[in-house]
Amino acid sequence: MELEKLAERIWEIASDPKVKSEGIQQIALGIQTLVQEINEGKVPRDWAKGVSEALGAFEELADATPLPPQKISGLDRFVASFIQESQKRMAGLSLSINGVFDSDNQEAVRLSAEHLHAIRGGAAMLELRDIARLAGALEKCIVSYGKAKDLASPTRPILRAFAVLKSTIENPDEAVDALVDDVIEELELAIKQLKTRHDEFRRDQTSTDTRVLEQRILVVDDVSTIASSIGFILTELDIPVDVANSGSEALEKLRKGAYSLVISDVSMPDMDGYELVKAMKADEMLEDVPIILLTQLDSEEDRARGLAAGADDFLIKGSIGGGELVARVSDLLVDAPYVPTRAESRRSVLIVEDTETIAASIAFVLSEGPYDIEIAHNGRDALRKIALRDFDLIISDIEMPAMTGLELLKTLKESPRTKDIPFVVLTSRSSGANAQEAIRLGATRFLVKGEVGAEKLLGLVNEVLEV
């Protein structure tokens, strides 16, 4: 039989030590098995002709010019790995998402959010925009429903989003933007409805005069520059922010004064973030205060440890810009407790500085006092903010784009509404001409940045505002 001879020939080639081809060996074994099946009557003999024709076609293919090997880029490898991991996450999500609609749903909500958080983070890093947007919106909707307790569940948008996300992960190149946008719009509408109904429920449950209540955040980090940067990011929420430089100091502040939310670093001496979470959850007075843990590294093990300790969220420090931290804090503040307004009379201070790190450092120094701080990036930005509200003090740099500090000072002193606001110039330019011009225009003080320490600056502000 021709096949038997062909099998013998292929096996000779496969046995050649120079060849070393597993594929040829498998072909030889396959043909030998086929011959045996034909002889035993298991396979019709006319199949042999088809096999011979197929091998002939293979011979023609072998004579053709070989195609160059496909090169797989490093990004493609990461994407392929992400898709594989995301499919595992979706399998876990398919189990937990049904439990979201049960009355006792908190564990299902936590697991579902954990899966979606991981998918969203990986997709955002690899710029898989549709997957990141879908996973983020679905996570937010599920978490919102988890907080809504007994309110009607958004079953349709959640299950529809799950199906579209699954399909998009399996075929990311075939995602339809219009469909993704439609699903996200439906999820956002569901989130808005949940929040509206939840706010109505909360108002019905309390008769407390909200004028004596506020929400207040405690930031915990042993590196003062990082703490001040976090405080700067949160200024757009217009919520008072206090700072503690260690876990033990945070506990002391929490026990002396009430807070709505805590944002804590993980790695700190004395008491780390995990220990702080455990201490808060073990205290009847603090166990309901939500806490976000921040870390330098994206470790699944660290995240699991933080959530197991009782943290409400876990973020990488590198991702807190771009609105991520503000979005997470805003979500948690929906259900966070209101606390009594502090008894001291608070003063409003506007910092006008075009260098964000310097503005954040000044804000951090003043956060030790009874000051609500707002930041403007140049003189023109400051005028817009001053038009919207009154300030008790303005601290301004001189050299800034759009409008300089001296131009801002001149404009404010010419207006009856703003001419009496104390104006402190804080600049790196120590020229006598600048100082004389500032005092001539009506500046309260002229300070040089390198010559004024934190304690002196806070003392001077206290003196000017008679605090």
Side-chain angles (χ1 to χ4, degrees):
M1 184 186 290
E2 291 296 327
L3 281 177
E4 291 176 326
K5 293 179 180 179
L6 183 60
E8 290 175 4
R9 177 59 185 143
I10 292 176
W11 188 256
E12 287 176 8
I13 297 172
S15 301
D16 187 340
K18 296 179 182 178
V19 176
K20 296 181 180 178
S21 170
E22 292 184 6
I24 293 176
Q25 291 177 0
Q26 289 173 2
I27 290 172
L29 288 171
I31 292 175
Q32 285 182 336
T33 302
L34 178 59
V35 169
Q36 184 178 350
E37 290 174 340
I38 290 174
N39 291 334
E40 293 174 356
K42 295 180 179 178
V43 175
R45 286 187 173 275
D46 56 2
W47 281 25
K49 182 180 179 181
V51 174
S52 297
E53 290 174 355
L55 289 169
F58 180 79
E59 184 177 359
E60 292 175 8
L61 181 63
D63 291 337
T65 303
L67 293 172
Q70 293 289 327
K71 291 185 178 180
I72 301 176
S73 69
L75 179 60
D76 287 339
R77 294 181 193 277
F78 278 119
V79 170
S81 177
F82 164 76
I83 295 298
Q84 186 177 17
E85 178 61 28
S86 293
Q87 287 174 338
K88 293 179 183 177
R89 287 280 185 183
M90 290 301 292
L93 181 60
S94 68
L95 298 175
S96 62
I97 201 166
N98 289 320
V100 167
F101 307 112
D102 295 339
S103 57
D104 184 16
N105 66 354
Q106 293 308 299
E107 181 63 12
V109 167
R110 185 188 69 78
L111 287 173
S112 299
E114 186 176 313
H115 289 308
L116 289 164
H117 190 85
I119 292 172
R120 181 179 63 83
M125 185 173 64
L126 294 170
E127 298 185 356
L128 299 173
R129 182 171 172 269
D130 286 331
I131 295 176
R133 291 168 60 224
L134 265 173
L138 182 53
E139 177 189 3
K140 189 172 182 179
C141 187
I142 287 175
V143 170
S144 297
Y145 176 57
K147 293 175 180 176
K149 309 295 183 188
D150 299 327
L151 299 180
S153 65
T155 308
R156 182 184 181 279
I158 287 178
L159 294 182
R160 184 183 180 214
F162 171 82
V164 174
L165 177 61
K166 185 174 183 292
S167 174
T168 306
I169 288 173
E170 291 172 350
N171 302 287
D173 295 331
E174 298 178 13
V176 180
D177 288 343
L179 175 60
V180 172
D181 290 341
D182 183 56
V183 171
I184 291 175
E185 184 178 343
E186 190 175 17
L187 286 169
E188 289 176 345
L189 177 61
I191 293 166
K192 185 177 180 180
Q193 290 172 341
L194 283 169
K195 185 178 184 302
T196 300
R197 293 200 300 266
H198 187 51
D199 288 347
E200 291 171 353
F201 175 78
R202 291 182 68 195
R203 282 196 297 270
D204 291 342
Q205 295 298 307
T206 178
S207 58
T208 306
D209 186 351
T210 55
R211 289 174 297 178
V212 298
L213 298 177
E214 67 178 0
Q215 287 188 304
R216 180 178 290 267
I217 298 172
L218 179 63
V219 174
V220 190
D221 201 302
D222 59 315
V223 181
S224 59
T225 53
I226 294 177
S228 59
S229 296
I230 295 169
F232 171 72
I233 290 170
L234 297 175
T235 53
E236 67 177 87
L237 294 176
D238 197 25
I239 290 176
V241 177
D242 294 338
V243 174
N245 296 121
S246 67
S248 56
E249 183 185 348
L251 276 181
E252 184 179 348
K253 284 181 176 288
L254 285 161
R255 286 165 179 161
K256 286 183 177 179
Y259 288 90
S260 308
L261 176 71
V262 175
I263 302 171
S264 176
D265 185 22
V266 168
S267 301
M268 296 183 293
D270 177 34
M271 174 185 285
D272 65 24
Y274 302 123
E275 293 170 325
L276 174 60
V277 174
K278 290 179 180 177
M280 288 175 61
K281 297 306 175 185
D283 189 319
E284 288 183 354
M285 302 299 293
L286 306 177
E287 62 180 351
D288 292 329
V289 179
I291 180 166
I292 298 174
L293 288 179
L294 301 180
T295 181
Q296 293 282 12
L297 302 175
D298 184 12
S299 165
E300 193 66 34
E301 181 181 344
D302 288 344
R303 176 178 170 79
R305 183 181 172 192
L307 295 176
D312 295 87
D313 210 338
F314 197 94
L315 294 176
I316 309 164
K317 286 184 178 178
S319 71
I320 63 176
E324 179 72 9
L325 178 62
V326 171
R328 294 284 171 175
V329 169
S330 298
D331 285 346
L332 287 173
L333 286 176
V334 170
D335 274 334
Y338 278 77
V339 299
T341 303
R342 298 290 170 88
E344 73 266 19
S345 174
R346 299 188 66 81
R347 304 295 185 88
S348 57
V349 178
L350 178 64
I351 299 169
V352 190
E353 171 63 63
D354 60 323
T355 303
E356 288 191 359
T357 53
I358 295 176
S361 297
I362 299 171
F364 173 72
V365 169
L366 298 185
S367 68
E368 294 296 317
Y371 302 118
D372 293 329
I373 300 160
E374 198 159 332
I375 294 174
H377 301 295
N378 55 57
R380 190 168 295 168
D381 186 25
L383 285 178
R384 285 195 292 267
K385 293 180 181 294
I386 293 166
L388 296 174
R389 62 171 292 189
D390 294 327
F391 289 94
D392 298 303
L393 173 68
I394 297 169
I395 301 175
S396 177
D397 189 16
I398 289 182
E399 299 295 332
M400 295 178 292
M403 176 183 279
T404 68
L406 294 181
E407 290 171 337
L408 171 64
L409 173 59
K410 183 175 184 297
T411 301
L412 294 177
K413 293 303 177 182
E414 290 174 348
S415 169
R417 174 175 169 259
T418 57
K419 65 184 179 65
D420 294 327
I421 302 175
F423 194 106
V424 174
V425 174
L426 181 60
T427 179
S428 56
R429 305 275 184 176
S430 59
S431 73
N434 278 335
Q436 290 176 5
E437 180 64 7
I439 298 301
R440 186 188 73 78
L441 289 172
T444 308
R445 295 282 194 282
F446 185 92
L447 305 174
V448 179
K449 290 173 182 175
E451 298 174 2
V452 181
E455 188 175 344
K456 183 177 179 180
L457 177 61
L458 181 60
L460 184 142
V461 171
N462 290 342
E463 177 186 332
V464 170
L465 293 178
E466 299 180 351
V467 172

